[in-house]
Amino acid sequence: MAVTTLVTLTNAQLAYGHHPLLDHADFAVQPGERIGLIGRNGAGKSSLLKVLDGRIVPDDGEVMRLGGLKIATVEQEPDLDDSLTVFDILCGDFNENEDWQRPSRAQNLIEQLGLPTDAPVAGLSGGMRKRVALARALADEPDLLLLDEPTNHLDFDGIAWLAALLLNARCSAIIITHDRRFLDEVATRIVELDRGQLFSFPGNFSAWQQRKAEWLEAEKQQNSKFDKVLAQEEAWIRQGVEARRTRNEGRVRRLEQLRRDRAARRERVGNVTLAVAEGQRSGKLVAELENVSHQYGDHVVIRNLSTTILRKDRIGLIGPNGAGKTTLLKIILGQLQPSSGHVRLGTNLSVGYFDQMRAQLDETATLADTINPGSEWIEIGNQRKHVMSYMEDFLFPAARARSPVQSLSGGERARLVLARLFARPTNVLVMDEPTNDLDIETLELLEELLQDYPGTVLLVSHDRAFLDNVITQTIAAEGDGNWQEYVGGYDEWLAQRPTGKGKPSAKSAKTEAASAERSRPAKQNKIKAWELRELEEMPEAIAQLEAQQASLAARLADGALYRDAPDEAARINGQLQTLDSQLTELFTRWEALEEKRSS
C-alpha cells in the first residue's frame, strides 16, 4: 500500500541575510511520523515550520500539501487573547465552523491538563499558557501538529503528559526541542537543519548521536580529499606553461569550478567556548537553613525546611510549576526573608544569577555594553580577553557588538546572559531554567562547565538529562510546602521518592531483587567448546550488522528519499528495526557467554 505524503518540500530556498536558512532543501512528512527537528540556534528551524504551515512562502522551490490537510502550530511564545477565558480560547467560534463536538473536546482537554475552565488567560503563568496553547491546537484535531519548543515552561508532569499525548496521537508531529530525554521518548525520526540542508536520521535522539558522528567523520574525509585535489591543481596552475596549452583548457575550467565549490562550502558553525571567571574562594559553609517556612497569604510554599549547603555542592531544586523553587532560591541567597525560621549565610559569597525570565537584560543596551559595561577587557582566570574576542566565544561576531539586545532571538538572549554571567568572578552559580532556548551543543558544553566548576551550583530545571548530568544532590518539592533532600540527580530522585504508603520505592524494590538474586547458590556452568567458538565469531557478526546499519542510515539521511520514494523509506526503516533487534540479541548473548567464560 502506497504511503500518502502530507507535506513535501522540493528544492526549497529561503534567506534572511548572507547565508540561506534553506539551501535547495528537500523534505517530506509521512502519516504517523513524530519528527524531532534539531539544529543550532539561528539555523532556521522556526522558519521551516512557518514554511510548512504556509505562514512564509519560500524564495524558491516548491511546497506541496495533501488536499484538505489540517495543520496546527504551537509557537514558543503562544499568542493568546488575554480577554478570553481558557474555555473560550479552546472552543473558538465553533458555530462558524459548525464543529458541534468542539466544546466537548475542549472540556475533555481541560480536565486532562488540569486547566482552570473559567479563568481569564491574562492571569496565567508561562507554563499554564503553554498548556492552553497545546490544548487549543489539539482541539483542532489536526493531521499535522507543529510544536516549537513545547517543553519550555512545562514541569515534569506537563512534559510526561505531552509525551504520552504524542505517543497516542493519530496525527503526525514535528517537534523543535532541546530536551534530549523527550526526543528519546517520542521521536521516530530526527531531522537536523544544518547549513541550509535537512539531514534525516531514523530513530530517536540517542540513535542520531551515533549516526551523526559517523556522518560527520565521512564529511570530514570527503572535504579533506577535495582540499587535497584543489591544492594539487593550484600548484599545477602556478607553473603557468602547461595551463596555457589548448588541450589543458578543460583542466583550467575544472580548477575554476573547484574554486567556486570551495568558496560555496559552508563550514559548520563553531561551538560556544565556555569559561567562567572564578571568584575568591567562599567559606566551607554557603548557607544553612533551620526550620524555614514561607507563605503567601494562606498558601504555604515552604514548611519547616532545614538543610545545609556546602562549598562545591551541585544541588538541583525540582518540583512542579508554582511549587516555590524560585522562592526557595531567593531565601537560600538571602534575597528574601522567610516567614519564619533562620537562614545563616557563609562568608565571601560571590553569586552569579541566571534568570529564566532574562529580566536583567536592558532591551536598548548594546551587546558589548551588556556583557561588560564600561570596559573593553574581561579577566577569565589568568587570561585577559578583549570584549570582541569574548563575544566570538559565544558565537556573536564582532560586527554585532553594537546591536541592541532587542534584536536577538531567544537562543541568542540565553547565550548573552551566559556571556554576561561568566564574565564576572563568582563562587556560587545560580541557574534558574538555563536550558530554555539553548541548542543541544551549547547545553552539553554548559554541562561540562558546571561539572568542573570549583564553586557551588544551585540549579532549577525541568530538563531531566541536564539534571542527571550536572547535580549530585536534589531538594524536591513533595507537596503541601514540604521539601525533601535526596542524593543524586533526577533519576535517583525518581527511584528514591515515596510511591505511596506501605510501598517501597522503585530503587529499594530493585535493590531487594538484586540481593535475592545474589543470595541464590551459583550454578556450576562451564562454557562449552562450541560456545567458545560462537563467542569468538561474534565481533565479526556484530561488525557486519553495524555496517549494514550504517549503509541503510546513510540512504535515509537523504531527505529526498522520503519525498520521492516513501515506500522505500518505510521499507528501510523496517530493515533497520530488524537489525536493531538482531544486534540487541547478539549483545545479550555475548554478555551471557562472556560471563560464562569468566566463571
Side-chain angles (χ1 to χ4, degrees):
M1 181 176 163
V3 176
T4 303
T5 304
L6 301 182
V7 183
T8 304
L9 261 64
T10 305
N11 208 27
Q13 298 181 62
L14 181 69
Y16 289 120
H18 181 59
H19 286 312
L21 300 177
L22 297 176
D23 188 2
H24 301 279
D26 295 321
F27 182 53
V29 184
Q30 311 299 342
E33 284 198 294
R34 297 185 300 274
I35 298 172
L37 179 59
I38 64 174
R40 301 302 298 266
N41 290 139
K45 301 185 295 297
S46 297
S47 296
L48 175 59
L49 293 192
K50 292 176 181 177
V51 169
L52 293 174
D53 68 10
R55 285 177 290 165
I56 289 179
V57 176
D59 301 330
D60 201 358
E62 186 177 26
V63 184
M64 295 183 64
R65 301 177 186 88
L66 187 67
L69 182 71
K70 188 182 291 185
I71 301 177
T73 303
V74 180
E75 298 186 74
Q76 286 191 52
E77 300 298 333
D79 183 17
L80 303 175
D81 187 340
D82 286 345
S83 67
L84 298 179
T85 66
V86 170
F87 185 78
D88 292 337
I89 288 283
L90 266 61
C91 280
D93 192 350
F94 65 92
N95 287 312
E96 182 179 319
N97 299 311
E98 296 187 355
D99 183 1
W100 309 114
Q101 298 299 318
R102 183 156 186 139
S104 175
R105 292 200 306 274
Q107 189 59 46
N108 186 39
L109 285 163
I110 284 171
E111 291 172 3
Q112 284 185 41
L113 278 169
L115 297 173
T117 305
D118 298 322
V121 171
L124 299 182
S125 65
M128 197 61 75
R129 289 176 72 90
K130 181 62 70 76
R131 288 187 180 219
V132 171
L134 287 166
R136 179 178 63 177
L138 293 167
D140 289 340
E141 292 191 320
D143 304 304
L144 177 60
L145 183 61
L146 306 181
L147 303 178
D148 196 347
E149 297 287 4
T151 62
N152 280 5
H153 307 301
L154 289 183
D155 56 23
F156 297 135
D157 289 340
I159 292 170
W161 170 84
L162 180 59
L165 181 142
L166 290 173
L167 290 172
N168 294 312
R170 296 178 182 177
C171 63
S172 296
I174 301 177
I175 309 125
I176 298 174
T177 182
H178 61 264
D179 191 320
R180 295 155 289 179
R181 185 78 65 90
F182 186 76
L183 285 171
D184 268 347
E185 290 169 349
V186 305
T188 59
R189 175 157 65 113
I190 299 294
V191 172
E192 182 180 17
L193 179 53
D194 181 14
R195 292 163 287 177
Q197 296 294 309
L198 290 160
F199 301 95
S200 180
F201 300 85
N204 59 18
F205 178 77
S206 295
W208 167 83
Q209 281 188 307
Q210 177 183 349
R211 288 166 184 156
K212 181 62 187 296
E214 296 168 357
W215 182 84
L216 282 177
E217 181 60 31
E219 183 189 48
K220 180 181 176 182
Q221 292 177 5
Q222 183 179 355
N223 286 343
S224 178
K225 290 177 183 177
F226 178 96
D227 292 341
K228 186 176 181 180
V229 171
L230 178 59
Q232 290 170 345
E233 295 300 291
E234 292 286 6
W236 169 79
I237 197 71
R238 283 195 293 271
Q239 295 173 2
V241 179
E242 288 190 51
R244 286 192 292 271
R245 295 179 184 171
T246 303
R247 65 175 178 269
N248 283 325
E249 285 181 0
R251 191 171 179 182
V252 174
R253 287 195 296 271
R254 175 173 176 245
L255 172 59
E256 290 171 349
Q257 184 60 47
L258 285 171
R259 287 170 172 170
R260 286 193 292 271
D261 290 345
R262 180 63 185 88
R265 185 200 299 170
R266 288 177 64 184
E267 303 293 351
R268 278 183 61 79
V269 176
N271 283 329
V272 174
T273 303
L274 297 181
V276 62
E278 183 184 351
Q280 180 185 3
R281 190 179 183 185
S282 71
K284 184 177 181 180
L285 176 71
V286 173
E288 183 179 53
L289 279 63
E290 294 181 8
N291 298 320
V292 165
S293 295
H294 195 75
Q295 61 190 77
Y296 296 102
D298 295 331
H299 179 51
V300 179
V301 292
I302 303 169
R303 191 186 302 274
N304 295 327
L305 174 62
S306 296
T307 187
T308 301
I309 298 172
L310 303 177
R311 184 178 63 240
K312 294 190 177 181
D313 281 349
R314 296 202 303 273
I315 297 175
L317 274 59
I318 64 177
N321 289 338
K325 299 184 294 293
T326 302
T327 297
L328 180 53
L329 270 183
K330 292 180 178 179
I331 289 174
I332 290 172
L333 298 174
Q335 298 175 357
L336 178 65
Q337 188 69 27
S339 303
S340 63
H342 178 67
V343 178
R344 182 161 68 99
L345 297 179
T347 57
N348 298 327
L349 298 184
S350 178
V351 179
Y353 201 110
F354 184 102
D355 176 16
Q356 63 166 316
M357 304 308 294
R358 322 284 195 258
Q360 54 201 282
L361 295 178
D362 179 351
E363 293 290 315
T364 60
T366 66
L367 305 193
D369 285 341
T370 298
I371 290 172
N372 206 39
S375 175
E376 294 185 352
W377 297 94
I378 296 170
E379 304 285 343
I380 304 290
N382 297 323
Q383 189 179 10
R384 193 167 184 254
K385 274 195 171 185
H386 194 274
V387 67
M388 297 297 184
S389 175
Y390 182 74
M391 284 179 59
E392 289 176 352
D393 288 345
F394 290 82
L395 306 184
F396 293 114
R400 298 190 65 185
R402 299 303 167 197
S403 299
V405 169
Q406 61 193 12
S407 68
L408 301 182
S409 67
E412 289 172 329
R413 285 167 181 261
R415 289 207 309 271
L416 183 68
V417 174
L418 287 176
R420 177 186 173 96
L421 176 66
F422 295 159
R424 288 156 177 73
T426 63
N427 51 38
V428 178
L429 280 178
V430 180
M431 315 291 282
D432 194 352
E433 294 288 3
T435 63
N436 287 353
D437 303 316
L438 290 180
D439 57 46
I440 290 170
E441 288 90 341
T442 306
L443 271 182
E444 291 174 342
L445 290 169
L446 180 58
E447 286 175 353
E448 293 177 13
L449 180 141
L450 295 177
Q451 288 164 2
D452 297 333
Y453 181 60
T456 305
V457 176
L458 299 174
L459 172 65
V460 173
S461 178
H462 292 120
D463 188 318
R464 295 158 290 177
F466 192 80
L467 285 166
D468 276 339
N469 292 336
V470 171
I471 65 175
T472 57
Q473 182 181 342
T474 299
I475 301 178
E478 303 283 319
D480 195 29
N482 295 309
W483 295 75
Q484 183 65 44
E485 293 183 79
Y486 297 89
V487 174
Y490 172 82
D491 283 342
E492 285 80 7
W493 164 72
L494 209 58
Q496 296 174 68
R497 66 177 181 168
T499 55
K501 188 175 181 181
K503 296 181 182 179
S505 70
K507 187 169 184 178
S508 63
K510 188 183 295 184
T511 304
E512 288 174 12
S515 300
E517 185 67 30
R518 286 194 297 270
S519 66
R520 293 173 187 162
K523 295 180 181 179
Q524 293 298 324
N525 200 9
K526 187 176 180 180
I527 192 168
K528 298 176 177 63
W530 65 269
E531 290 176 323
L532 194 57
R533 285 195 300 274
E534 181 187 1
L535 180 61
E536 290 170 350
E537 292 169 358
M538 277 187 172
E540 179 61 26
I542 289 171
Q544 289 178 5
L545 289 176
E546 288 179 335
Q548 292 178 49
Q549 256 189 342
S551 175
L552 292 171
R555 292 180 63 189
L556 283 178
D558 182 3
L561 181 67
Y562 287 84
R563 180 198 69 203
D564 299 335
D567 291 333
E568 177 69 4
R571 188 185 67 80
I572 294 173
N573 269 311
Q575 287 180 295
L576 280 168
Q577 290 175 4
T578 301
L579 287 172
D580 281 336
S581 298
Q582 291 174 350
L583 278 169
T584 300
E585 290 176 7
L586 264 179
F587 279 117
T588 302
R589 176 66 173 158
W590 192 4
E591 289 175 3
L593 289 178
E594 280 287 6
E595 186 177 350
K596 205 171 181 182
R597 179 168 68 172
S598 63
S599 63

